[in-house]
Amino acid sequence: MSDDSDDPVMALLATQRAVLAAVENLAGQVETMQGKVDAMGKTLAQFVAGTAGASGGGVGRVLTLGDRFREATAEQAARDPELRNRPIVTAAYGP
């Protein structure tokens, strides 16, 4: 019998195993990225909900931190511990 390393069928099987391992690796990476995309989607949905609240929609909705930040005066922000350390953007930063 000849050496298996010269057999084209064995070489094809080895290539198939290598491709299968690479596909399984990619599938794991896709699952990991899908989890990150889902988390970003939830965060984006919260931002969008906050933006809708600032535009007058969502009556009866609990205000998000972003809503409170946008609506707070300097004095209110100074009294609110969650808003206290956030910078207040003024017209001085405009063009």
Side-chain angles (χ1 to χ4, degrees):
M1 272 191 150
S2 67
D3 186 11
D4 283 342
S5 63
D6 294 333
D7 187 0
V9 173
M10 295 305 289
L12 182 59
L13 287 174
T15 301
Q16 183 181 17
R17 282 192 296 270
V19 169
L20 180 60
V23 168
E24 288 173 345
N25 182 20
L26 285 173
Q29 291 178 23
V30 167
E31 288 176 10
T32 300
M33 292 303 293
Q34 186 62 47
K36 292 177 182 180
V37 168
D38 291 344
M40 287 187 285
K42 289 177 184 176
T43 301
L44 181 59
Q46 291 173 347
F47 284 139
V48 169
T51 302
S55 66
V59 175
R61 182 180 65 75
V62 175
L63 293 177
T64 65
L65 183 59
D67 293 334
R68 290 175 36 221
F69 179 73
R70 283 187 291 276
E71 295 172 3
T73 63
E75 293 80 22
Q76 291 169 331
R79 288 190 307 264
D80 189 331
E82 289 184 307
L83 300 177
R84 187 176 302 139
N85 293 325
R86 296 184 185 272
I88 297 176
V89 178
T90 65
Y93 293 108

